[in-house]
Amino acid sequence: TCLPGFTGSGVQCSEFGDCERGRHVCHNNATCHNIDPRVRGSHLCTCLPGFSGSGSECGEFGDCQRGLHHCHVNATCDNIDPSHRASHQCTCLPGLHGNGTNCADVNECNEMEAAMRCHGNKGNCVHTFGSYECRCTSGYLLRENETHCPSSTVD
């Protein structure tokens, strides 16, 4: 039998450290290693395989973080299962269209709904990257979600 504060078979005993006592701040996806079990705070947290970080914080380390993807520069990469290679999904940024590996900006001003939203309200549709904005013609003030030019003139 081991003495109080120690654990083991009785033939071989080791001291309880921060890890065994739960006195550590290791992340759920990390392991705790005692450096000197006699010294409080003397432990090391190491992220599990497939995760990276300080040990107190461990995030997924999949294809996206390793740069092992073919997502377009204007797309986000999301790991599906970081422990498996080629397990990610590419999604074009808002306002862009495509499959994630190819993303293109669409001129919303060429689409009837966006153009009518501006032109029908005394405004002009102006294309911006991934979106559009309305600009009122002279004498009108932009209002209501920046898509409506009321019929009253600006003072």
Side-chain angles (χ1 to χ4, degrees):
T1 308
C2 296
L3 295 173
F6 290 81
T7 184
S9 64
V11 174
Q12 187 163 10
C13 298
S14 59
E15 292 184 77
F16 273 156
D18 290 339
C19 299
E20 293 79 16
R21 290 187 173 119
R23 293 188 300 204
H24 61 84
V25 292
C26 297
H27 189 266
N28 289 341
N29 294 318
T31 54
C32 182
H33 309 280
N34 290 310
I35 296 170
D36 184 347
R38 297 169 296 190
V39 178
R40 187 173 190 160
S42 179
H43 64 276
L44 177 67
C45 302
T46 308
C47 295
L48 297 171
F51 296 89
S52 68
S54 64
S56 58
E57 291 293 326
C58 296
E60 293 179 337
F61 193 69
D63 291 345
C64 299
Q65 291 78 9
R66 290 183 183 116
L68 302 174
H69 61 84
H70 298 289
C71 297
H72 190 269
V73 65
N74 291 317
T76 58
C77 181
D78 297 302
N79 292 310
I80 297 169
D81 183 352
S83 63
H84 290 92
R85 174 97 169 77
S87 180
H88 61 275
Q89 178 177 334
C90 302
T91 307
C92 294
L93 295 175
L96 303 180
H97 301 276
N99 62 8
T101 55
N102 292 305
C103 298
D105 185 21
V106 173
N107 186 341
E108 291 84 359
C109 294
N110 292 337
E111 296 175 3
M112 187 62 141
E113 183 182 325
M116 286 305 296
R117 190 177 282 164
C118 295
H119 292 291
N121 292 310
K122 307 279 192 239
N124 297 308
C125 183
V126 178
H127 174 70
T128 61
F129 184 76
S131 189
Y132 71 95
E133 60 184 46
C134 297
R135 293 193 185 144
C136 297
T137 55
S138 180
Y140 293 88
L141 182 64
L142 189 63
R143 293 203 183 125
E144 294 180 25
N145 298 329
E146 300 184 2
T147 61
H148 182 73
C149 298
S151 59
S152 61
T153 59
V154 178
D155 296 329

